[in-house]
């Protein structure tokens, strides 16, 4: 049996979410991580075949933490289930580009833990799974807010505040996005640490900026619930400017935002850690292909069109 986990897209509030402000994220199911577990000959232990990394990892100990996020994900699962090393082979592959703001690390860990816990006959509920993937995220990012693992494990739009239960919310009108990957890999750990440097050096200025992003996200949630597309687009542009002020945009991301707006998008912004990775543009569905073509001409390595379905009232996250 195949176990999957989607990529994620942050609509509003990245970086500010690390400081306790809200952020809004949605799953992006076109890109997925997939894992299968098969029984291996007795005594062969647990191996993880990470096809995209071209790596085979042997997990030999439950207790001694291994310095590899996927092996660590397996160890955390075994510790959670109080299980010894099983004789299993886990195959893992993913269509999610690495270091591109799509949550590839959280998605591969989620798929792996799902496959392993099912193979052991003890599937984990979403809350426990989310907690384990968050621990793996710490290995990737140092101080993650928890939004990536949460939206990926829940596989639903979330309004997220660090340390709190994620809130579901309604979507008043379908939201069509063009997503563009810059093709430039960027480390979230580095961008988060660059923003931290600014906040520590000049707290009065950058702390206020972070608070303003939080207010913008609150307003964006109201607009999304009411289906007020023009308002959502304006706030995306404003959020991009704030992220630019936090130094996490890049010339290519700015070019892509401008190209999307020129081609008729309602709003556009970088999404995720920035300085590379991906950007998103909110569009009228009739304009989606034109905006996608404009983004590719402006240097995007790949584009996708994604629609977030309307849901009223807010769906349950259970
Ligand atoms: C990364 O997808 C989102 C950031 O806000 C980091 C985090 O929330 O942990 C940049």
């Amino acid at each position: 049996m195949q176990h999957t986990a989607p990529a994620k897209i942050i609509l509003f509030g990245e970086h500010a979410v690390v400081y306790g402000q809200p952020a809004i994220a949605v799953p992006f199911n076109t890109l997925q991580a997939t894992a299968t577990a098969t029984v291996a000959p007795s005594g062969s232990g647990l191996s993880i075949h990470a096809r995209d990394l071209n790596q085979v990892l042997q997990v030999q100990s439950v207790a001694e933490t291994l310095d590899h996020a996927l092996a660590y994900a397996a160890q955390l699962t075994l510790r959670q289930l109080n299980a010894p090393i099983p004789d299993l082979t886990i195959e893992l592959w993913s269509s999610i580009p690495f270091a591109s703001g799509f949550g590839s690390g959280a998605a591969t860990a989620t798929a792996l833990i799902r496959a392993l816990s099912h193979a052991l006959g003890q599937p984990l509920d979403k809350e426990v799974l989310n907690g384990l993937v968050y621990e793996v995220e710490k290995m990737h990012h140092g101080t993650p807010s928890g939004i990536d693992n949460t939206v990926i494990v829940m596989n639903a739009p979330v309004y997220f505040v660090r340390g709190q239960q994620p809130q579901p919310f309604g979507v008043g009108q379908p939201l069509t996005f063009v997503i563009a990957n810059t093709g430039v890999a960027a480390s979230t750990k580095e961008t988060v640490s660059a923003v931290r440097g600014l906040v520590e050096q000049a707290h009065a200025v950058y702390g206020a900026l972070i608070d303003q992003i939080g207010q913008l996200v609150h307003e964006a949630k109201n607009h999304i619930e009411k289906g007020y597309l023009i308002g959502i687009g304006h706030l995306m542009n404003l959020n991009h400017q704030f992220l630019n002020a936090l130094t996490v945009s890049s010339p290519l991301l700015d070019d892509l935002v401008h190209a999307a707006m020129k081609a008729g998008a309602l709003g556009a912004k970088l999404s995720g850690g920035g300085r590379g990775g991906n950007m998103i543009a909110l569009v009228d569905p009739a304009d989606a292909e034109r905006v996608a073509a404009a983004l590719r001409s402006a240097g995007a390595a790949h584009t996708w069109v994604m629609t977030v379905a309307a849901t009223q009232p807010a769906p349950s996250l259970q």
Side-chain angles (χ1 to χ4, degrees), residues 18-144:
V18 172
Y19 300 87
Q21 297 297 335
I24 297 173
V26 296
F28 178 33
N29 276 282
T30 303
L31 300 178
Q32 293 209 324
T34 307
T36 60
T38 47
V39 176
S42 171
S44 50
L46 175 61
S47 56
I48 302 168
H49 295 218
R51 286 201 208 152
D52 308 288
L53 300 174
N54 212 6
Q55 276 180 357
V56 178
L57 306 160
Q58 193 71 32
V59 182
Q60 274 153 345
S61 154
V62 178
E64 192 191 320
T65 295
L66 293 170
D67 188 22
H68 190 293
L70 294 174
Y72 184 45
Q75 290 183 306
L76 287 172
T77 311
L78 297 174
R79 284 178 206 167
Q80 175 69 33
L81 298 176
N82 223 349
I85 300 277
D87 292 321
L88 284 175
T89 301
I90 298 186
E91 291 271 347
L92 188 63
W93 64 100
S94 168
S95 57
I96 309 173
F98 296 118
S100 300
F102 290 118
S104 140
T108 46
T110 302
L112 184 153
I113 296 173
R114 282 191 170 133
L116 178 56
S117 57
H118 273 83
L120 295 171
Q122 301 181 72
L124 298 168
D125 69 33
K126 284 185 177 173
E127 209 161 314
V128 174
L129 173 61
N130 196 20
L132 297 186
V133 182
Y134 182 61
E135 289 305 310
V136 179
E137 283 286 278
K138 287 188 194 163
M139 193 175 254
H140 282 292
H141 297 322
T143 54

Side-chain angles (χ1 to χ4, degrees), residues 234-251:
H234 283 160
L235 291 178
M236 286 172 68
N237 291 336
L238 186 57
N239 198 167
H240 183 76
Q241 296 310 330
F242 283 144
L243 288 164
N244 216 329
L246 289 174
T247 75
V248 295
S249 190
S250 70

Side-chain angles (χ1 to χ4, degrees), residues 8 10 13-15 17-18 101 143-148 188 191-192 272-273:
K8 69 88 195 8
I10 297 191
E14 51 276 269
H15 286 289
V17 68
V18 172
T143 54
S145 66
I147 190 168
D148 287 14
T188 302
T191 57
V192 166

Side-chain angles (χ1 to χ4, degrees), residues 101-317:
F102 290 118
S104 140
T108 46
T110 302
L112 184 153
I113 296 173
R114 282 191 170 133
L116 178 56
S117 57
H118 273 83
L120 295 171
Q122 301 181 72
L124 298 168
D125 69 33
K126 284 185 177 173
E127 209 161 314
V128 174
L129 173 61
N130 196 20
L132 297 186
V133 182
Y134 182 61
E135 289 305 310
V136 179
E137 283 286 278
K138 287 188 194 163
M139 193 175 254
H140 282 292
H141 297 322
T143 54
S145 66
I147 190 168
D148 287 14
N149 47 284
T150 300
V151 66
I152 284 167
V153 169
M154 299 300 162
N155 201 359
V158 293
Y159 181 82
F160 177 88
V161 177
R162 188 172 188 165
Q164 296 180 14
Q165 286 295 324
Q167 292 174 34
F169 58 93
V171 178
Q173 289 281 340
L175 304 174
T176 301
F177 292 98
V178 178
I179 300 164
N181 187 8
T182 57
V184 177
S187 149
T188 302
K189 197 171 187 172
E190 277 170 29
T191 57
V192 166
S193 130
V195 172
R196 174 159 306 107
L198 294 174
V199 172
E200 282 172 3
Q201 272 163 37
H203 189 266
V205 178
Y206 291 102
L209 201 59
I210 300 263
D211 291 350
Q212 285 202 44
I213 294 178
Q215 285 173 26
L216 173 163
V217 177
H218 184 74
E219 196 60 23
K221 176 173 173 272
N222 290 336
H223 288 343
I224 292 173
E225 289 188 321
K226 292 190 181 113
Y228 178 39
L229 300 185
I230 307 268
I232 300 167
H234 283 160
L235 291 178
M236 286 172 68
N237 291 336
L238 186 57
N239 198 167
H240 183 76
Q241 296 310 330
F242 283 144
L243 288 164
N244 216 329
L246 289 174
T247 75
V248 295
S249 190
S250 70
L252 177 54
L253 282 165
D254 289 347
D255 286 352
L256 294 178
V257 165
H258 289 140
M261 293 308 291
K262 212 167 144 200
L266 300 167
K269 64 181 277 293
L270 73 85
S271 171
R275 292 193 182 165
N278 75 81
M279 57 76 66
I280 55 174
L282 179 69
V283 295
D284 181 308
D287 297 332
E289 279 316 318
R290 191 178 63 237
V291 171
L295 286 168
R296 290 191 298 272
S297 301
H302 202 101
T303 58
W304 300 264
V305 177
M306 171 186 78
T307 299
V308 179
T311 49
Q312 286 292 4
S316 154
L317 286 178

